[in-house]
Amino acid sequence: MSDTATTTPMQRVTLQLGQISVNPLNVRQDLNLDEKFLKSVAANGVKVPVVVLPLGGDAYELKMGHRRYFAARATKETDAEQDAIEVPAYVLDPSLREAGEDFIDQLIENDDDYRRGLTELEQADALFGAVGAGMKQARVAELTGRSRRDVSQAVKTAKSVGERTRSALAEAGTYDLDLEVLGVLGEFDDDSAAVDRLLDAYAKGRFEFQVQWERDDRAEQRAREQVRPQLQAAGVRLAEDGDTLPQTAEPVSELDGPDGEPMSAESHADCPGHVATWAENPREPGEVDYFCTDPERFGHYPPQEDAPEADGDQDEEQPQAAGAAKPSEPSREYVKAGNKAYRAAEKARQGWLKDLVGRKTAPKPLAAFITEQLLTCPKPVAQWVGDAGRRDLVKELTGYDQPAERAKSATPAKLTLLNFAVLAATFEKRMGEVRTWRTDSTARSAVYELREMRADARTWLSFLAEIGYPLSNVEQAIVEDEPFQEGEPDAADTDGQADEDGPDAVSAEDSEDAS
């Protein structure tokens, strides 16, 4: 039996659903009884009291809580079982109600201007708090209608996001972040500058690029910490970025020894001019390039170049940045910054493409783009058809080991996406050459070839931007056919390594101000 209600302004009682009738003037049309909400009510019952108005006897009319009322009924199959469900309720005093107040209550209770749900981080904190208090994650999932995987991710995220990052979120007024973004911020919780850059990039729609840049930079710094003592133990001098080498310095890989044989790092190791610098285009973090500080002086020459007949006066060595190129060439640090930005953009872009291909529906422009490329068969398409590397990239983008088998049962929309994945692989392979971002005529390739690659990249990136891909600064420079600009703010000083890694040259800033 239910508690006896009295006509006080708001008295809490326990009622059975059979005692409550639905308000016929309720304005809510969509109850939105989603699976998560239903699971929570099934596991916990109704926790927040409904609000009712007495009709006389044991009958009441529902004023607030229609979603809770119908969700509770959904937990049982028969009318008798549903009517017996008990819920907490507040009983209003009819004498204190004025005409039209029912409608005002409905508005205030449900309008977003009056209510604010918990943010993703606040929800994660609640789940983390429940687990921290001793509740098993499986039980938390049962009571909240979430999957165990979602609870685990939320708990992990809440634990990883520390006070510094929370302060940055509060200062930026950023509360709409989902668990995936919050998890990334937690990954860099020990680096407040990185968190600030990531939040800034998120606000500009460039988050994926900045995440990849930060991860690459962190991997590079950790690798360098291991390589430095190894070089020191081997007796190899390391010229850090910003150290000086003479203008005479040349890469060992471009020199021959006195016997005319090509030099290697091992064969050059005993040369007094032997020095290592951080690689211009590393294949893996921590890779170094080797230089000879004065090849002519130490008897090393470019291939097919004869040694001078007699030693002349040596020009006075002029200092420049470590491994700097000839004055007519872009600086080594500029090239390294551009390469780094280009590789980070490539990884972020292919991750975005993978998500796109994984959708159930295709953006409208895709079909026309696919048809155009197949009919015109530009160089990226013609060059890479049948290429093994392209086939591997198709598998990566689609997530299928046998894309052709998947195509047999695919919907028309999915077929469009699978066809697009093939074209995506051809253009991505075409852009695999890191020099694509460069506009200088001294890039080590035929100028015409480089122009062709940039033109194909421009076509591809322009289309991706059209369907919603957020271009990074280096990609924007390619689209606009402008030089990549250094010194943009999104990749500012990284953990005190600005002089070492030149991160000022990499950013998630739009290139409108830079071009």
Side-chain angles (χ1 to χ4, degrees), residues 175-355:
Y175 299 105
D176 61 342
L177 307 182
D178 60 30
L179 283 182
E180 184 176 356
V181 173
L182 290 167
V184 172
L185 297 181
E187 180 183 338
F188 293 93
D189 191 65
D190 59 344
D191 186 347
S192 58
V195 170
D196 289 341
R197 287 192 297 273
L198 288 165
L199 287 175
D200 188 47
Y202 179 84
K204 296 172 181 174
R206 313 285 282 276
F207 187 72
E208 290 76 10
F209 167 76
Q210 194 66 28
V211 170
Q212 191 60 59
W213 197 95
E214 298 291 349
R215 286 173 175 165
D216 288 350
D217 187 74
R218 177 164 286 195
E220 178 69 18
Q221 297 309 317
R222 288 173 175 170
R224 290 186 179 192
E225 291 174 0
Q226 296 178 342
V227 170
R228 287 188 183 97
Q230 295 172 2
L231 292 173
Q232 184 177 13
V236 178
R237 181 164 75 91
L238 173 63
E240 296 277 9
D241 299 333
D243 286 351
T244 57
L245 286 179
Q247 289 183 336
T248 52
E250 293 285 353
V252 170
S253 60
E254 298 180 12
L255 299 173
D256 285 348
D259 56 1
E261 293 296 321
M263 300 291 296
S264 65
E266 292 75 15
S267 62
H268 188 259
D270 293 331
C271 175
H274 189 63
V275 63
T277 66
W278 300 116
E280 182 179 280
N281 182 29
R283 292 179 295 273
E284 57 186 24
E287 187 175 357
V288 297
D289 292 333
Y290 293 93
F291 280 74
C292 182
T293 58
D294 195 335
E296 185 174 345
R297 177 181 177 186
F298 299 122
H300 314 308
Y301 309 98
Q304 299 180 349
E305 180 178 317
D306 296 332
E309 294 182 0
D311 291 336
D313 293 335
Q314 297 289 334
D315 292 334
E316 182 179 355
E317 295 183 353
Q318 300 295 325
Q320 65 181 58
K326 295 292 190 292
S328 60
E329 299 180 0
S331 72
R332 181 176 171 81
E333 290 313 301
Y334 171 76
V335 173
K336 287 175 66 176
N339 288 348
K340 186 175 182 180
Y342 189 83
R343 288 305 186 203
E346 180 181 57
K347 294 174 185 176
R349 185 175 65 250
Q350 291 184 8
W352 185 89
L353 286 168
K354 187 174 181 179
D355 289 341

Side-chain angles (χ1 to χ4, degrees), residues 60-130:
Y60 299 85
E61 182 176 271
L62 186 62
K63 295 301 182 183
M64 300 181 191
H66 287 74
R67 291 185 72 237
R68 282 163 278 165
Y69 174 89
F70 283 103
R73 280 195 168 276
T75 63
K76 301 295 183 180
E77 294 185 359
T78 68
D79 291 342
E81 290 176 322
Q82 293 171 357
D83 288 344
I85 295 173
E86 293 187 335
V87 296
Y90 286 119
V91 181
L92 298 172
D93 184 345
S95 67
L96 301 178
R97 306 285 288 174
E98 61 180 291
E101 192 170 350
D102 283 1
F103 296 101
I104 300 302
D105 285 347
Q106 292 176 48
L107 177 63
I108 293 176
E109 182 192 24
N110 297 290
D111 195 293
D112 288 340
D113 290 338
Y114 301 100
R115 296 170 63 95
R116 177 179 176 270
L118 295 177
T119 66
E120 289 279 355
L121 183 55
E122 290 166 340
Q123 293 179 50
D125 285 340
L127 297 171
F128 178 60

